[in-house]
Amino acid sequence: MARGDRRRRGAPADGVRTAEGAARGGPARRDNRVGIARSTVRGAVLAIVALILALSLSGSWLLAWYRARRAVTLHSAPPALPPDSSSPTVAPDFFWGTYRPHVYFGMKTRSPQPLLTGLMWAQQGATPGTPKLRHTCEQGDGVGPYGWEFHDGLSFGRQHIQDGALRLTTEFVKRPGGQHGGDWSWRVTVEPQASGTSALPLVSLFFYVVTDGKEVLVPEVEAKGQLKFISGHTSELGDFRFTLLPPTSPGDTVPKYGSYNVFWSSNPGLPLLTEMVKSRLNRWFQHRSPGASPERYLGLPGSLKWEDRGPSGQGQEQGQFLIQQVTLKAPFSIELVFESGSARAGRNQALGQLAGSLLSQALETHIEAFRERFEKTFRLQEKGLSPGEQALGWAALSGLLGGIGYFYGQGLVLPDMKVEGSEQKVAPALFPPVPLFTAVPSRSFFPRGFLWDEGFHQLVVQRWDPRLTQEALGHWLGLLNADGWIGREQVLGDEARARVPPEFLVQRAAHANPPTLLLPVAHMLEGGDPADLAFLRRAFPRLYAWFSWLHQSQAGPVPLSYRWRGRDPTLPTLLNPKTLPSGLDDYPRASHPSATERHLDLRCWVALGARVLMRLAEQLGEAEAAAELGALAASLGEEKILDELHWAPELGVFADFGNHTKAVQLKPWPPQGLVRVVGRPHPSLQYVDALGYVSIFPLLLRLLDPHSSRLGPLLDVLADSRHLWSPFGLRSLAASSSFYGQRNSEHDPPYWRGAVWLNVNYLALGALHHYGHLEGPHQARAAKLHSELRANVVGNVWQQYQATGFLWEQYSDQDGRGMGCRPFQGWTSLVLLAMAEDY
């Protein structure tokens, strides 16, 4: 009764329909209505479920879309550098520079659409057929040694290049003035390598100018294809003029006879310049020096016809490429003068062109100032180093400064799309166009920006010119995306992209890199320079966002542990899946990658970062950030927690932790080649037995108390020749390790599996110096080891430099020979700070 009342009151219309139904036959109709009602309920439930699923799927899609957008969205924090910091108005002394490290000699402006200049050369008749055209630094082209003898990063440089029987010297000097970056001049000297050579080589030099947009170049030619000068105008440079002066004998003003060819076309694209010139060297010309027999040489078309202009001024929109070929007998010198219209207008006309004796005098003045400033900064002579070792120091610094480049472009980014354990497939996206002002590891092999390398680079640069470091750090922090991520390898612009294998073009937004930019930040804090502190105040929001992303995104499986994302998958061809984000590439980790891993080196980097940024926050008065960072630094600094996570009693050292077995090896397996075979014991959760650089990271980053019970065992393995110690520096992996010297695949030789690396040896020297000056039970031993390790490292780098003329990427722990790519005047330039005992 009550139920019926409720039904009637709740649905009077249904009551009416029920009465009508009873008159037509009663219960049968009611049952049908109940079935319909049930069906309606089921349909509603299904609709709700479908809606929930749709919302869930759309929510997942929206989350994926949101993450993808953030991955390629620039961070909203204020920039660390002032607006237009690269412009000639804000930084005129930095506007022009040798910012094309991948070419043997060239200059450009710090601009998204730069004016570029460069040099090519060829020895005519040295080999049958087309002469070898030299332009870009290549690992295997037979040129070398080469490198900057002097370069101050700002105003001048002198470089020597050995190419077979030839020795080239390239020099430049900048002269400030006007509103557009001032003037500059080049001198290129070509001489036979051996003195007294009877058969003097016939050499062609190619001087070129390239524009990258609608800039105007107007060449004026004299007789026989010789350019009198090139006039031009751009919005950033105003009016300007290039003048190529007649060749002379080296150190003389007497002109030498040269043959001239010229070529003018639209810009084919910077990566194609070399091939375009090669393809145009297709006609034979006669070089007729007075009083000498004529000689044939291959030359460019001898006119100023603008080739490939295309319809409707297409060539103008592409930019222009203008090149002057000068061919003559060595020895000789040629000078190229660039004059800014605004500098010329405001200059005392009595000064004249920066050429001839004025250029020689300017070079000598700069060299003398460089030597004085170098000794005042690094005090190598005061420390008793030989003149040869001091020259090594000059070359280490100059090669690093001469390798600074300016890049502009869009990188490719693969967003982090992992949602609740699944990974949605998504294509890489273009990052916004960004500039990057950075040093490079190697002009021949790695002529682009690498994040963890750059922190080590700037340790050297900051001692020499703090402004350069502020510029470099500011540009790197300008790459921060909305999440706080910076790509570890920056491939920006056509020239950089052309030199990178396709598989390395894409940067993954889930992958980190060691935060080494905080190393020069720590040095800035110690120095207390007001300009540095003003920069750090502007940079702090971005530094904090970057560190926060690292701390959160690389968190490990248990509190206060960390794990590198981005290990290679377990493939049958890999002995040990690599961990490229760590910077240590093939250094052995857990044999079977998993989410259970705990990586010691990453934890140490986070601990160091928390300490550095805590000090910075305190100095800037950022109380909330300082408290948060201080709490994290304190937790990460507790040795008890470090022990619980990473001390391996059975190994007697710190170690990684993960799913691991030592029973892995590569075995021949035709026809696949070498294949990984896993034996017994099967992998299990354990500490990873891979004694090497990772094992001593708490020591390297000075995280241990000088009275720590763990300091002694780390010094033991460091000093043991069965483990890390070698006569040439600390080896990356212990000689006692089963992975020592082992290939990672059939085509992948050992990299961080025994070789001596300067960046980590520099950290070790700094740590030993640190503990050698702190009271504790290991003070005397640390000081002694510092002295011995410094002698080994510096002595071997110096010996190899004497033998080869190069700084190398790594050094053999067996005989000390240089290995890997060369020249490697990135972090190997840290040998200078080791010589100076500046840590």
Short mmCIF file of all heavy atoms in Angstrom, two decimals, residues 430-480:
data_model
loop_
_atom_site.label_atom_id
_atom_site.label_comp_id
_atom_site.label_asym_id
_atom_site.label_seq_id
_atom_site.Cartn_x
_atom_site.Cartn_y
_atom_site.Cartn_z
N LEU A 430 58.49 19.97 -33.48
CA LEU A 430 59.52 21.01 -33.55
C LEU A 430 59.44 21.91 -32.33
O LEU A 430 58.37 22.39 -31.96
CB LEU A 430 59.35 21.85 -34.81
CG LEU A 430 59.85 21.24 -36.12
CD1 LEU A 430 59.42 22.11 -37.29
CD2 LEU A 430 61.37 21.10 -36.10
N PHE A 431 60.59 22.13 -31.71
CA PHE A 431 60.71 23.10 -30.62
C PHE A 431 60.68 24.50 -31.24
O PHE A 431 61.04 24.68 -32.41
CB PHE A 431 62.03 22.87 -29.89
CG PHE A 431 62.06 23.38 -28.48
CD1 PHE A 431 61.29 22.79 -27.49
CD2 PHE A 431 62.87 24.45 -28.13
CE1 PHE A 431 61.32 23.25 -26.18
CE2 PHE A 431 62.92 24.92 -26.83
CZ PHE A 431 62.14 24.32 -25.85
N PRO A 432 60.27 25.52 -30.50
CA PRO A 432 60.28 26.87 -31.07
C PRO A 432 61.69 27.29 -31.50
O PRO A 432 62.69 26.79 -30.97
CB PRO A 432 59.78 27.75 -29.91
CG PRO A 432 59.02 26.82 -29.03
CD PRO A 432 59.70 25.49 -29.14
N PRO A 433 61.82 28.20 -32.46
CA PRO A 433 63.15 28.69 -32.87
C PRO A 433 63.84 29.37 -31.69
O PRO A 433 63.26 30.23 -31.03
CB PRO A 433 62.85 29.69 -33.98
CG PRO A 433 61.45 29.38 -34.43
CD PRO A 433 60.74 28.83 -33.24
N VAL A 434 65.08 28.96 -31.42
CA VAL A 434 65.83 29.50 -30.28
C VAL A 434 67.29 29.69 -30.69
O VAL A 434 67.82 28.97 -31.52
CB VAL A 434 65.76 28.56 -29.06
CG1 VAL A 434 64.41 28.62 -28.38
CG2 VAL A 434 66.10 27.12 -29.45
N PRO A 435 67.95 30.67 -30.06
CA PRO A 435 69.39 30.83 -30.26
C PRO A 435 70.15 30.07 -29.18
O PRO A 435 69.62 29.81 -28.10
CB PRO A 435 69.59 32.34 -30.10
CG PRO A 435 68.55 32.74 -29.09
CD PRO A 435 67.38 31.80 -29.30
N LEU A 436 71.40 29.73 -29.48
CA LEU A 436 72.27 29.11 -28.48
C LEU A 436 73.69 29.58 -28.71
O LEU A 436 74.25 29.41 -29.80
CB LEU A 436 72.20 27.59 -28.55
CG LEU A 436 73.08 26.84 -27.53
CD1 LEU A 436 72.69 27.20 -26.10
CD2 LEU A 436 73.01 25.34 -27.75
N PHE A 437 74.27 30.16 -27.68
CA PHE A 437 75.66 30.62 -27.67
C PHE A 437 76.40 29.69 -26.74
O PHE A 437 76.17 29.71 -25.53
CB PHE A 437 75.70 32.07 -27.19
CG PHE A 437 77.05 32.72 -27.23
CD1 PHE A 437 77.70 32.94 -28.44
CD2 PHE A 437 77.68 33.14 -26.07
CE1 PHE A 437 78.94 33.57 -28.49
CE2 PHE A 437 78.91 33.76 -26.10
CZ PHE A 437 79.54 33.98 -27.31
N THR A 438 77.27 28.85 -27.27
CA THR A 438 77.83 27.77 -26.46
C THR A 438 79.19 27.35 -26.99
O THR A 438 79.49 27.50 -28.19
CB THR A 438 76.89 26.56 -26.46
OG1 THR A 438 77.42 25.52 -25.64
CG2 THR A 438 76.68 25.99 -27.87
N ALA A 439 80.02 26.81 -26.11
CA ALA A 439 81.23 26.13 -26.54
C ALA A 439 80.83 24.74 -27.05
O ALA A 439 79.72 24.26 -26.78
CB ALA A 439 82.23 26.01 -25.39
N VAL A 440 81.73 24.11 -27.79
CA VAL A 440 81.43 22.78 -28.33
C VAL A 440 82.53 21.82 -27.91
O VAL A 440 83.68 22.23 -27.68
CB VAL A 440 81.31 22.81 -29.87
CG1 VAL A 440 80.22 23.80 -30.30
CG2 VAL A 440 82.63 23.11 -30.55
N PRO A 441 82.22 20.52 -27.79
CA PRO A 441 83.25 19.55 -27.38
C PRO A 441 84.37 19.39 -28.39
O PRO A 441 85.55 19.31 -28.03
CB PRO A 441 82.46 18.25 -27.22
CG PRO A 441 81.04 18.67 -27.03
CD PRO A 441 80.89 19.90 -27.86
N SER A 442 84.01 19.32 -29.68
CA SER A 442 85.00 19.04 -30.71
C SER A 442 84.58 19.69 -32.01
O SER A 442 83.46 19.48 -32.48
CB SER A 442 85.16 17.53 -30.91
OG SER A 442 85.95 17.24 -32.06
N ARG A 443 85.48 20.48 -32.62
CA ARG A 443 85.16 21.15 -33.87
C ARG A 443 84.97 20.17 -35.02
O ARG A 443 84.22 20.44 -35.95
CB ARG A 443 86.26 22.15 -34.22
CG ARG A 443 86.35 23.34 -33.29
CD ARG A 443 87.61 24.16 -33.55
NE ARG A 443 87.63 24.71 -34.89
CZ ARG A 443 88.69 25.29 -35.44
NH1 ARG A 443 89.82 25.37 -34.74
NH2 ARG A 443 88.64 25.76 -36.66
N SER A 444 85.63 19.03 -34.94
CA SER A 444 85.57 18.08 -36.05
C SER A 444 84.43 17.07 -35.91
O SER A 444 83.87 16.64 -36.92
CB SER A 444 86.90 17.32 -36.15
OG SER A 444 87.12 16.52 -34.99
N PHE A 445 84.09 16.69 -34.68
CA PHE A 445 83.17 15.58 -34.50
C PHE A 445 81.88 15.95 -33.76
O PHE A 445 80.84 15.38 -34.01
CB PHE A 445 83.88 14.44 -33.74
CG PHE A 445 83.34 13.09 -34.05
CD1 PHE A 445 83.60 12.48 -35.27
CD2 PHE A 445 82.56 12.41 -33.14
CE1 PHE A 445 83.11 11.22 -35.57
CE2 PHE A 445 82.06 11.14 -33.42
CZ PHE A 445 82.33 10.54 -34.65
N PHE A 446 81.97 16.90 -32.85
CA PHE A 446 80.79 17.33 -32.08
C PHE A 446 80.67 18.85 -32.09
O PHE A 446 80.73 19.50 -31.04
CB PHE A 446 80.89 16.85 -30.63
CG PHE A 446 80.97 15.35 -30.46
CD1 PHE A 446 82.11 14.75 -29.94
CD2 PHE A 446 79.91 14.54 -30.81
CE1 PHE A 446 82.20 13.38 -29.78
CE2 PHE A 446 79.97 13.16 -30.65
CZ PHE A 446 81.12 12.58 -30.14
N PRO A 447 80.49 19.45 -33.29
CA PRO A 447 80.46 20.92 -33.34
C PRO A 447 79.07 21.49 -33.05
O PRO A 447 78.49 22.20 -33.86
CB PRO A 447 80.89 21.21 -34.79
CG PRO A 447 80.36 20.04 -35.56
CD PRO A 447 80.43 18.85 -34.63
N ARG A 448 78.54 21.17 -31.87
CA ARG A 448 77.22 21.64 -31.45
C ARG A 448 77.17 21.59 -29.93
O ARG A 448 78.10 21.15 -29.28
CB ARG A 448 76.12 20.77 -32.07
CG ARG A 448 76.26 19.29 -31.80
CD ARG A 448 75.32 18.47 -32.67
NE ARG A 448 75.45 17.03 -32.43
CZ ARG A 448 76.37 16.26 -32.99
NH1 ARG A 448 77.26 16.79 -33.82
NH2 ARG A 448 76.41 14.96 -32.74
N GLY A 449 76.05 22.04 -29.38
CA GLY A 449 75.94 22.15 -27.93
C GLY A 449 75.55 20.86 -27.26
O GLY A 449 74.60 20.19 -27.67
N PHE A 450 76.30 20.50 -26.20
CA PHE A 450 75.98 19.34 -25.36
C PHE A 450 75.86 19.83 -23.92
O PHE A 450 76.77 20.45 -23.38
CB PHE A 450 77.09 18.28 -25.45
CG PHE A 450 77.08 17.50 -26.74
CD1 PHE A 450 77.60 18.04 -27.89
CD2 PHE A 450 76.54 16.23 -26.79
CE1 PHE A 450 77.59 17.34 -29.09
CE2 PHE A 450 76.53 15.50 -27.98
CZ PHE A 450 77.06 16.06 -29.13
N LEU A 451 74.73 19.50 -23.30
CA LEU A 451 74.39 20.09 -22.00
C LEU A 451 75.40 19.76 -20.92
O LEU A 451 75.88 20.65 -20.22
CB LEU A 451 72.98 19.64 -21.59
CG LEU A 451 72.45 20.13 -20.25
CD1 LEU A 451 72.48 21.65 -20.18
CD2 LEU A 451 71.02 19.62 -20.03
N TRP A 452 75.74 18.48 -20.74
CA TRP A 452 76.60 18.18 -19.59
C TRP A 452 78.04 18.56 -19.87
O TRP A 452 78.79 18.87 -18.96
CB TRP A 452 76.39 16.74 -19.14
CG TRP A 452 77.34 15.65 -19.53
CD1 TRP A 452 77.51 15.11 -20.75
CD2 TRP A 452 78.19 14.91 -18.63
NE1 TRP A 452 78.42 14.07 -20.69
CE2 TRP A 452 78.84 13.93 -19.40
CE3 TRP A 452 78.45 14.98 -17.26
CZ2 TRP A 452 79.74 13.03 -18.85
CZ3 TRP A 452 79.34 14.07 -16.72
CH2 TRP A 452 79.99 13.12 -17.49
N ASP A 453 78.44 18.60 -21.14
CA ASP A 453 79.77 19.10 -21.48
C ASP A 453 79.89 20.58 -21.11
O ASP A 453 80.94 21.03 -20.64
CB ASP A 453 80.04 18.94 -22.97
CG ASP A 453 80.14 17.49 -23.41
OD1 ASP A 453 79.13 16.76 -23.33
OD2 ASP A 453 81.22 17.08 -23.84
N GLU A 454 78.83 21.34 -21.38
CA GLU A 454 78.94 22.78 -21.25
C GLU A 454 79.24 23.24 -19.83
O GLU A 454 79.93 24.24 -19.62
CB GLU A 454 77.66 23.46 -21.76
CG GLU A 454 77.73 24.97 -21.85
CD GLU A 454 78.76 25.47 -22.86
OE1 GLU A 454 79.36 24.65 -23.59
OE2 GLU A 454 78.95 26.70 -22.92
N GLY A 455 78.74 22.52 -18.83
CA GLY A 455 79.08 22.89 -17.46
C GLY A 455 80.58 22.83 -17.21
O GLY A 455 81.16 23.71 -16.55
N PHE A 456 81.23 21.80 -17.74
CA PHE A 456 82.69 21.69 -17.60
C PHE A 456 83.39 22.77 -18.42
O PHE A 456 84.39 23.34 -17.99
CB PHE A 456 83.15 20.30 -18.04
CG PHE A 456 82.73 19.20 -17.11
CD1 PHE A 456 81.75 18.28 -17.49
CD2 PHE A 456 83.30 19.06 -15.86
CE1 PHE A 456 81.36 17.26 -16.63
CE2 PHE A 456 82.91 18.05 -14.99
CZ PHE A 456 81.94 17.15 -15.38
N HIS A 457 82.90 23.02 -19.64
CA HIS A 457 83.49 24.09 -20.46
C HIS A 457 83.53 25.41 -19.69
O HIS A 457 84.54 26.12 -19.67
CB HIS A 457 82.68 24.30 -21.73
CG HIS A 457 82.59 23.11 -22.63
ND1 HIS A 457 81.62 23.00 -23.62
CD2 HIS A 457 83.34 21.98 -22.72
CE1 HIS A 457 81.78 21.86 -24.26
NE2 HIS A 457 82.81 21.22 -23.73
N GLN A 458 82.39 25.73 -19.08
CA GLN A 458 82.28 27.04 -18.46
C GLN A 458 83.08 27.16 -17.16
O GLN A 458 83.34 28.28 -16.70
CB GLN A 458 80.80 27.38 -18.22
CG GLN A 458 80.02 27.57 -19.51
CD GLN A 458 80.63 28.61 -20.43
OE1 GLN A 458 81.13 29.64 -19.97
NE2 GLN A 458 80.60 28.33 -21.73
N LEU A 459 83.52 26.05 -16.59
CA LEU A 459 84.45 26.14 -15.46
C LEU A 459 85.74 26.84 -15.89
O LEU A 459 86.34 27.60 -15.12
CB LEU A 459 84.77 24.75 -14.92
CG LEU A 459 83.70 24.09 -14.06
CD1 LEU A 459 84.06 22.64 -13.77
CD2 LEU A 459 83.50 24.86 -12.76
N VAL A 460 86.18 26.56 -17.12
CA VAL A 460 87.39 27.21 -17.65
C VAL A 460 87.07 28.63 -18.10
O VAL A 460 87.76 29.58 -17.73
CB VAL A 460 87.97 26.40 -18.82
CG1 VAL A 460 89.23 27.08 -19.36
CG2 VAL A 460 88.29 24.97 -18.39
N VAL A 461 86.01 28.78 -18.89
CA VAL A 461 85.68 30.08 -19.46
C VAL A 461 85.40 31.10 -18.36
O VAL A 461 85.82 32.26 -18.45
CB VAL A 461 84.46 29.96 -20.40
CG1 VAL A 461 84.02 31.33 -20.90
CG2 VAL A 461 84.79 29.04 -21.58
N GLN A 462 84.73 30.68 -17.28
CA GLN A 462 84.34 31.63 -16.24
C GLN A 462 85.55 32.26 -15.57
O GLN A 462 85.51 33.42 -15.18
CB GLN A 462 83.46 30.90 -15.20
CG GLN A 462 82.48 31.79 -14.46
CD GLN A 462 83.11 32.48 -13.26
OE1 GLN A 462 84.08 31.97 -12.70
NE2 GLN A 462 82.57 33.63 -12.88
N ARG A 463 86.63 31.51 -15.44
CA ARG A 463 87.85 32.08 -14.86
C ARG A 463 88.42 33.18 -15.76
O ARG A 463 89.03 34.13 -15.28
CB ARG A 463 88.91 31.00 -14.69
CG ARG A 463 88.94 30.31 -13.33
CD ARG A 463 87.84 29.31 -13.14
NE ARG A 463 88.09 28.46 -11.96
CZ ARG A 463 87.28 27.52 -11.55
NH1 ARG A 463 86.15 27.27 -12.21
NH2 ARG A 463 87.57 26.79 -10.48
N TRP A 464 88.24 33.00 -17.06
CA TRP A 464 88.85 33.92 -18.02
C TRP A 464 87.97 35.13 -18.30
O TRP A 464 88.43 36.27 -18.30
CB TRP A 464 89.12 33.17 -19.33
CG TRP A 464 89.68 33.99 -20.43
CD1 TRP A 464 89.02 34.44 -21.53
CD2 TRP A 464 91.02 34.49 -20.55
NE1 TRP A 464 89.85 35.18 -22.34
CE2 TRP A 464 91.10 35.22 -21.76
CE3 TRP A 464 92.16 34.37 -19.76
CZ2 TRP A 464 92.27 35.83 -22.19
CZ3 TRP A 464 93.33 34.98 -20.19
CH2 TRP A 464 93.39 35.70 -21.38
N ASP A 465 86.69 34.91 -18.56
CA ASP A 465 85.79 36.00 -18.93
C ASP A 465 84.39 35.69 -18.41
O ASP A 465 83.61 35.00 -19.07
CB ASP A 465 85.76 36.17 -20.45
CG ASP A 465 85.04 37.45 -20.88
OD1 ASP A 465 84.23 37.97 -20.09
OD2 ASP A 465 85.30 37.92 -22.00
N PRO A 466 84.04 36.19 -17.22
CA PRO A 466 82.72 35.89 -16.64
C PRO A 466 81.56 36.30 -17.53
O PRO A 466 80.51 35.67 -17.51
CB PRO A 466 82.72 36.70 -15.33
CG PRO A 466 84.18 36.84 -14.99
CD PRO A 466 84.89 36.96 -16.29
N ARG A 467 81.75 37.33 -18.34
CA ARG A 467 80.65 37.75 -19.24
C ARG A 467 80.31 36.66 -20.24
O ARG A 467 79.14 36.44 -20.57
CB ARG A 467 81.04 39.03 -19.99
CG ARG A 467 80.89 40.31 -19.20
CD ARG A 467 81.21 41.51 -20.09
NE ARG A 467 80.31 41.60 -21.22
CZ ARG A 467 80.64 42.14 -22.40
NH1 ARG A 467 81.87 42.59 -22.60
NH2 ARG A 467 79.74 42.21 -23.37
N LEU A 468 81.33 35.99 -20.76
CA LEU A 468 81.07 34.90 -21.70
C LEU A 468 80.26 33.79 -21.04
O LEU A 468 79.35 33.22 -21.66
CB LEU A 468 82.40 34.34 -22.23
CG LEU A 468 83.09 35.12 -23.35
CD1 LEU A 468 84.46 34.52 -23.64
CD2 LEU A 468 82.25 35.11 -24.63
N THR A 469 80.60 33.48 -19.81
CA THR A 469 79.86 32.44 -19.10
C THR A 469 78.42 32.86 -18.83
O THR A 469 77.49 32.06 -18.97
CB THR A 469 80.57 32.09 -17.78
OG1 THR A 469 81.84 31.50 -18.08
CG2 THR A 469 79.76 31.12 -16.95
N GLN A 470 78.21 34.11 -18.46
CA GLN A 470 76.84 34.59 -18.28
C GLN A 470 76.05 34.45 -19.58
O GLN A 470 74.89 34.01 -19.57
CB GLN A 470 76.84 36.05 -17.83
CG GLN A 470 77.41 36.27 -16.44
CD GLN A 470 77.67 37.74 -16.16
OE1 GLN A 470 77.11 38.62 -16.81
NE2 GLN A 470 78.54 38.01 -15.20
N GLU A 471 76.68 34.80 -20.70
CA GLU A 471 76.00 34.68 -21.99
C GLU A 471 75.65 33.23 -22.29
O GLU A 471 74.54 32.91 -22.73
CB GLU A 471 76.89 35.25 -23.10
CG GLU A 471 76.98 36.75 -23.13
CD GLU A 471 75.72 37.38 -23.71
OE1 GLU A 471 75.18 36.87 -24.71
OE2 GLU A 471 75.26 38.39 -23.15
N ALA A 472 76.63 32.32 -22.08
CA ALA A 472 76.40 30.91 -22.40
C ALA A 472 75.32 30.31 -21.49
O ALA A 472 74.38 29.66 -21.97
CB ALA A 472 77.70 30.12 -22.27
N LEU A 473 75.41 30.53 -20.18
CA LEU A 473 74.42 29.98 -19.26
C LEU A 473 73.04 30.57 -19.55
O LEU A 473 72.02 29.86 -19.51
CB LEU A 473 74.80 30.27 -17.82
CG LEU A 473 76.06 29.59 -17.27
CD1 LEU A 473 76.21 29.87 -15.78
CD2 LEU A 473 76.04 28.10 -17.52
N GLY A 474 72.98 31.86 -19.85
CA GLY A 474 71.70 32.49 -20.16
C GLY A 474 71.05 31.89 -21.38
O GLY A 474 69.84 31.69 -21.42
N HIS A 475 71.86 31.59 -22.40
CA HIS A 475 71.31 30.97 -23.60
C HIS A 475 70.82 29.55 -23.32
O HIS A 475 69.76 29.14 -23.80
CB HIS A 475 72.35 30.97 -24.72
CG HIS A 475 72.37 32.23 -25.52
ND1 HIS A 475 73.07 33.35 -25.12
CD2 HIS A 475 71.76 32.55 -26.69
CE1 HIS A 475 72.90 34.31 -26.02
NE2 HIS A 475 72.11 33.86 -26.97
N TRP A 476 71.61 28.77 -22.57
CA TRP A 476 71.17 27.41 -22.25
C TRP A 476 69.86 27.43 -21.45
O TRP A 476 68.96 26.63 -21.71
CB TRP A 476 72.25 26.65 -21.48
CG TRP A 476 73.26 26.01 -22.37
CD1 TRP A 476 74.50 26.46 -22.70
CD2 TRP A 476 73.10 24.76 -23.07
NE1 TRP A 476 75.13 25.58 -23.56
CE2 TRP A 476 74.30 24.53 -23.80
CE3 TRP A 476 72.08 23.82 -23.14
CZ2 TRP A 476 74.48 23.39 -24.59
CZ3 TRP A 476 72.26 22.69 -23.93
CH2 TRP A 476 73.44 22.49 -24.64
N LEU A 477 69.75 28.33 -20.49
CA LEU A 477 68.52 28.42 -19.71
C LEU A 477 67.36 28.93 -20.55
O LEU A 477 66.19 28.69 -20.21
CB LEU A 477 68.73 29.32 -18.49
CG LEU A 477 69.69 28.75 -17.43
CD1 LEU A 477 69.97 29.79 -16.36
CD2 LEU A 477 69.13 27.47 -16.82
N GLY A 478 67.66 29.58 -21.66
CA GLY A 478 66.62 30.00 -22.58
C GLY A 478 65.99 28.85 -23.34
O GLY A 478 64.96 29.02 -24.00
N LEU A 479 66.60 27.66 -23.25
CA LEU A 479 66.06 26.47 -23.92
C LEU A 479 65.06 25.72 -23.05
O LEU A 479 64.51 24.70 -23.48
CB LEU A 479 67.21 25.52 -24.29
CG LEU A 479 68.34 26.10 -25.13
CD1 LEU A 479 69.43 25.06 -25.33
CD2 LEU A 479 67.83 26.60 -26.47
N LEU A 480 64.83 26.19 -21.84
CA LEU A 480 63.94 25.51 -20.89
C LEU A 480 62.52 25.42 -21.45
O LEU A 480 61.96 26.41 -21.91
CB LEU A 480 63.93 26.33 -19.60
CG LEU A 480 63.63 25.65 -18.27
CD1 LEU A 480 64.77 24.71 -17.90
CD2 LEU A 480 63.45 26.71 -17.18
#
